[in-house]
Amino acid sequence: FSKNPENLNYTKPEDQVAIAFGSGIIVDSEKGYVITNSHVVEGLDEINLTLQDKRKVEATVVGADLPSDLALLQVEAKNLTAIKFANSDKAKVGDFVVAVGNPFGLEHSVTQGIISALSRTDIGRDGYFDLIQTDAAINMGNSGGGLLNLQGELVGINTAIFSTPNNGGNVGLGFAIPASMAKNIYLQLAS
């Protein structure tokens, strides 16, 4: 988005400010680690997070793994709560899930659905993918947010959607990186 999204006045490219909306999951409350998608933070000079309790904190990128589309951020904040990882290898088609994130900048939104398919590798993206498919609404801004089971455990990291041209919104085909893969990569990036 530019400083002037309505394009009422001409804005020179060098005057434009890019603003990206995305989501993240706190995975280590002591070290302040947050995982998100690498495409959410790629090319950003500054990353600011709004926590559930409305605190705003600055984050730094610890590392990124482009083939998996995961990035590890770190924040300096007290009283964080880390999510518990589910064993995504035990997920089944038909399991109920909720997608948590910031679609279109609407903070802390939750949608519900089911796991529609497992081990999706054919969605036309580069890199290694073994994705969870869901019909829970995932839109722009949900990237990096959690796909949770009904116990509130992390099953996956929202990463991609299929959408119609000119729409950019949800059509019932969303994809998440399995939590087991995300945890493995986060631990590698943290070491």
Side-chain angles (χ1 to χ4, degrees):
F1 303 107
S2 70
K3 286 183 182 178
N4 187 10
E6 292 86 25
N7 292 320
L8 297 175
N9 298 312
Y10 174 73
T11 303
K12 296 184 288 187
E14 63 269 14
D15 292 336
Q16 293 179 344
V17 175
I19 299 172
F21 292 108
S23 304
I25 300 291
I26 298 169
V27 293
D28 186 319
S29 57
E30 295 298 315
K31 294 182 180 173
Y33 286 148
V34 177
I35 53 176
T36 189
N37 291 132
S38 59
H39 78 260
V40 169
V41 297
E42 187 176 15
L44 295 180
D45 296 324
E46 187 177 304
I47 302 167
N48 295 295
L49 307 181
T50 302
L51 303 176
Q52 181 69 33
D53 61 9
K54 303 294 184 199
R55 285 184 289 166
K56 297 190 185 306
V57 295
E58 191 170 323
T60 57
V61 177
V62 174
D65 182 68
L66 299 179
S68 67
D69 193 27
L70 288 170
L72 181 64
L73 309 178
Q74 188 168 30
V75 299
E76 290 187 29
K78 303 279 188 216
N79 302 317
L80 299 174
T81 302
I83 197 160
K84 182 178 178 183
F85 282 82
N87 182 348
S88 59
D89 297 334
K90 293 185 177 182
K92 295 186 236 93
V93 172
D95 286 352
F96 287 97
V97 290
V98 295
V100 181
N102 299 311
F104 304 105
L106 299 169
E107 296 177 351
H108 313 295
S109 295
V110 178
T111 58
Q112 58 89 30
I114 62 167
I115 293 176
S116 306
L118 296 166
S119 300
R120 283 286 189 223
T121 57
D122 52 351
I123 69 162
R125 290 185 61 179
D126 293 333
Y128 170 75
F129 286 98
D130 185 17
L131 301 175
I132 297 169
Q133 180 182 326
T134 182
D135 67 348
I138 297 174
N139 289 289
M140 293 170 28
N142 276 102
S143 290
L147 187 68
L148 312 179
N149 63 23
L150 296 184
Q151 290 73 45
E153 301 166 328
L154 187 67
V155 174
I157 304 294
N158 304 325
T159 191
I161 61 171
F162 275 147
S163 64
T164 58
N166 305 326
N167 176 339
N170 178 273
V171 295
L173 292 167
F175 301 92
I177 300 162
S180 56
M181 179 178 155
K183 185 175 185 178
N184 183 36
I185 290 169
Y186 132 64
L187 292 172
Q188 290 177 43
L189 292 172
S191 61

